[in-house]
Amino acid sequence: MDQELIDKLFSKSELWYNENIHKNLLSKILSVLVDRKAERLLNQDEYKVQSTINDFISSHLRNTPFSADREWKYIDNAVIHTLSSAPMVLYEVKTFIKNHENNINPKSIFKDILKLAIKKKEYPYIEAYMLIAGKSKVPKNALENQVLQLPNKFTDIHNRSSVELELSFFENLKIDKKTIENANKLKIDKVSVSPSRWRNYDGMCAISWRINKL
């Protein structure tokens, strides 16, 4: 990927995606969830958040060389360079909005993290995020009880610590063989994950973690 295009999306003097778009995206997701809660319309599935992400990013990237895409190569949401279809930012999304969605299956979260790590290895210049949205108590409980072994901002909003997950960690969760094989082919022996932007209000939250450089 051309460095000029990378700078156009990520640098402070241009779009500065991480701050001007990613940060505000989390606020937008939270506002949608809080509105749905007030309207007693929380029977929402993952599609609602994915659609919110796509619409928000599309609006912010209008008249730029970039655009939003959904289900890009089995990744939930993506920012791509429109002419080349090259990825720039990737999101995997999990939601816990409905009344019965009270527990996190760590296998599903870490499978998505490993998928993002594989893409990060294939395209080192990209930004990749794991995003959880919905009822605050669900990720809060999972993090505090170590069901979800990721840095926790509920206990420390300034937490910027990273965690390194060995490939054996993913293997022990019995993540599907194809994903593990792809990681092995790319010689991924560990994945570093750190907290990114988050929003938490009125019992609803939108939290993201960044996949760091491999």
Side-chain angles (χ1 to χ4, degrees), residues 121-142:
K121 186 73 171 183
E122 293 174 335
Y123 307 98
Y125 59 87
I126 69 170
E127 295 290 347
Y129 299 97
M130 181 73 228
L131 193 151
I132 292 177
K135 296 175 292 187
S136 301
K137 65 180 182 180
V138 180
K140 184 175 185 291
N141 290 341

Side-chain angles (χ1 to χ4, degrees), residues 60-77:
H60 279 71
L61 295 179
R62 190 176 292 117
N63 299 322
T64 75
F66 311 101
S67 55
D69 197 5
R70 293 192 57 188
E71 299 301 333
W72 179 88
K73 296 188 178 181
Y74 304 104
I75 300 294
D76 291 329
N77 292 87

Side-chain angles (χ1 to χ4, degrees), residues 171-188:
E171 292 171 331
N172 291 337
L173 285 172
K174 300 188 185 302
I175 287 171
D176 69 271
K177 291 182 179 179
K178 184 176 181 181
T179 305
I180 296 293
E181 286 172 1
N182 288 340
N184 272 315
K185 287 177 183 177
L186 291 168
K187 298 182 179 180
I188 297 174

Side-chain angles (χ1 to χ4, degrees), residues 88-127:
M88 303 298 295
V89 184
L90 302 179
Y91 290 94
E92 279 292 299
V93 180
K94 285 288 182 288
T95 62
F96 301 89
I97 306 171
K98 298 177 182 179
N99 288 333
H100 70 276
E101 294 175 333
N102 292 314
N103 296 292
I104 286 180
N105 178 357
K107 180 177 178 178
S108 66
I109 302 295
F110 288 109
K111 177 183 177 180
D112 283 352
I113 287 175
L114 187 55
K115 283 168 59 181
L116 290 169
I118 288 168
K119 294 302 181 188
K120 181 80 172 173
K121 186 73 171 183
E122 293 174 335
Y123 307 98
Y125 59 87
I126 69 170
E127 295 290 347

Side-chain angles (χ1 to χ4, degrees), residues 42-57:
L42 285 180
N43 189 31
Q44 304 284 335
D45 57 23
E46 197 170 286
Y47 175 86
K48 177 62 181 177
V49 173
Q50 291 176 359
S51 179
T52 298
I53 293 170
N54 195 72
D55 292 347
F56 183 88
I57 293 174

Side-chain angles (χ1 to χ4, degrees), residues 152-160 195-196 198 200:
N152 184 358
K153 293 196 94 171
F154 285 101
T155 53
D156 178 7
I157 62 172
H158 303 295
N159 186 355
R160 295 186 179 181
S196 184
W198 85 313
N200 179 37

Side-chain angles (χ1 to χ4, degrees), residues 11-26:
S11 74
K12 293 182 181 181
S13 60
E14 295 285 346
L15 289 168
W16 202 17
Y17 184 95
N18 300 43
E19 292 299 312
N20 292 340
I21 301 178
H22 175 69
K23 178 183 72 171
N24 292 328
L25 170 63
L26 274 288

